Amino acid sequence: MAGLEKNAEFSGKPTKSATTSTFFNRSNTIHGRTVVDSSPKSHNLNPSLNRTTSITKFYTPVESVGTSLKGKVKNLCRLFEGSKSAKPASPEIPQKQKSGKSLLPESRISPFSSLNNSVIRLPGTEDRIVVYFTSLRGIRRTYEDCYAVRMIFRGFRVWIDERDVSMDIAYRKELQIAMGEKSVTLPQVFIRGKYVGGADVIKSLFEIGELAKILKEFPMRQPGFVCHCCGDIRFVPCSNCSGSKKLFDEDEDRLKRCPDCNENGLIRCPDCSS
């Protein structure tokens, strides 16, 4: 019998004792089943638990990072080398004519030099500064320009003949006749009867200091001066009709239009606007 068992082992055929031992060896069978069945289930339940795939997905080799950084460094080096090699642009020197006069625009040489050659004149204002403006805030840009020009002149404490076209329509017609146009922007400034310009011109003259030289010729007022009659509004109610614009004519027994006041029942302040 012993010889038969040895022959069976060498021949590779399972004997009865071998089959019984494998049948009762449950640890081997259970281990084989768990290995085979657990591996596919673990992949199918949650793919994110597979650490090998997640690492290979987000892992980038160091060599590729090094090459990208090298390329960026080279580009930066070229940029700085180009800026160093570039020569600074030389400032433009104004060319001169044969007569020695520069070719710069006249406004940069002397912005107020064109005033003497102004064709637009305002008769009867050769001794004052006249500013046409509006006190209405319908158009924000226009109101801000008018306010800025008025504050510039008031900062020099010189007396200004302020003519508000929104308070008296006669000023609008007067400006249109002087400018020769129907549509005129505000503000507009006249100095000694000569036309200067609008807000942009006055601001530029003020910034370069040219306006201060011109206003030295005008007398200065006391600091903080305010007209006690009109409060610097330049208008007061008409004393003839009390601002009603109507007068009763006893001869004709009817109401008539007041000839002294404007369309708003106002007249110029007799104290500060004379």
Side-chain angles (χ1 to χ4, degrees), residues 247-259:
L247 292 174
F248 182 75
D249 190 354
E250 295 180 355
D251 297 335
E252 298 182 4
D253 195 18
R254 66 185 182 90
L255 293 174
K256 287 186 177 181
R257 177 71 169 81
C258 178

Side-chain angles (χ1 to χ4, degrees), residues 23-42:
F23 178 78
F24 287 103
N25 192 359
R26 295 186 179 181
S27 62
N28 292 331
T29 57
I30 293 171
H31 179 72
R33 289 177 183 176
T34 54
V35 171
V36 174
D37 296 333
S38 62
S39 58
K41 288 182 179 179
S42 62

